[in-house]
Amino acid sequence: MQIGSKMPLSFVHPVHRATHRIGLYLDKLGEPGLTQGEDHILAMLADSGPAKVAELHRGLAHKRSTLTSILDRLAKRNLITRKVGKTGRRTFIVTLTAKGRKLAQRISSICWSLSGKSREVITAVEIKGFKKVVAALEQQAHYRAQR
């Protein structure tokens, strides 16, 4: 089968490919040994500040067990802390350590730079269309995973 616009994976394949390329880029410029999920959690925390585990889950859509494993690894590397929230024992607040904040700011900066460079070659209309396609893919994948 020739690769082109009629390929069954015409939306999914480019998203996978771009995600993989971003992961390779972050691996090269970020902290060696961090996974893409760990990079994304750190970047989110750099941009948002301390967050509830539920907020991180909503932001990345990882399975809860996967998110817990990511947080365990980040805590083991002394990049984050988890503390019980003030609203109840079941709520945990994730905060960057000083070491984690430095790394997270670097990763976030890399992501912002990549986004900025990408925006130089695409229009606002194209960005809007891209966001619509990605949202549709996410919605369909979520719906079908629930069946």
Side-chain angles (χ1 to χ4, degrees):
M1 175 185 291
Q2 182 179 351
I3 296 177
S5 63
K6 294 185 180 183
M7 186 175 163
L9 298 177
S10 63
F11 290 149
V12 176
H13 179 70
V15 171
H16 275 189
R17 184 175 174 81
T19 301
H20 180 69
R21 290 276 188 207
I22 292 166
L24 292 173
Y25 177 65
L26 288 171
D27 192 43
K28 183 177 179 180
L29 299 174
E31 178 77 6
L34 283 180
T35 67
Q36 194 169 4
E38 292 165 350
D39 283 331
H40 288 201
I41 292 288
L42 291 172
M44 280 184 67
L45 290 169
D47 294 339
S48 72
K52 295 177 183 176
V53 172
E55 293 167 341
L56 296 174
H57 174 69
R58 278 193 299 275
L60 293 177
H62 286 297
K63 292 188 295 186
R64 290 199 186 272
S65 60
T66 301
L67 180 57
T68 298
S69 295
I70 290 170
L71 295 176
D72 288 345
R73 291 190 303 270
L74 292 174
K76 187 174 184 179
R77 291 179 78 157
N78 194 33
L79 298 172
I80 63 159
T81 61
R82 284 180 284 191
K83 295 189 177 171
V84 176
K86 294 178 182 178
T87 60
R89 293 181 298 149
R90 294 177 58 115
T91 302
F92 288 91
I93 306 297
V94 179
T95 306
L96 291 166
T97 63
K99 178 182 174 183
R101 190 169 15 269
K102 183 177 177 181
L103 177 58
Q105 288 170 342
R106 183 168 179 225
I107 293 167
S108 178
S109 176
I110 289 167
C111 291
W112 279 102
S113 175
L114 180 60
S115 293
K117 285 293 184 188
S118 299
R119 284 178 178 266
E120 291 176 6
V121 296
I122 52 180
T123 67
V125 171
E126 290 169 329
I127 292 168
K128 186 176 180 181
F130 169 76
K131 287 181 177 182
K132 190 170 184 175
V133 168
V134 170
L137 284 171
E138 183 177 0
Q139 181 182 31
Q140 286 301 313
H142 178 73
Y143 170 75
R144 292 172 190 296
Q146 301 304 312
R147 289 178 163 177

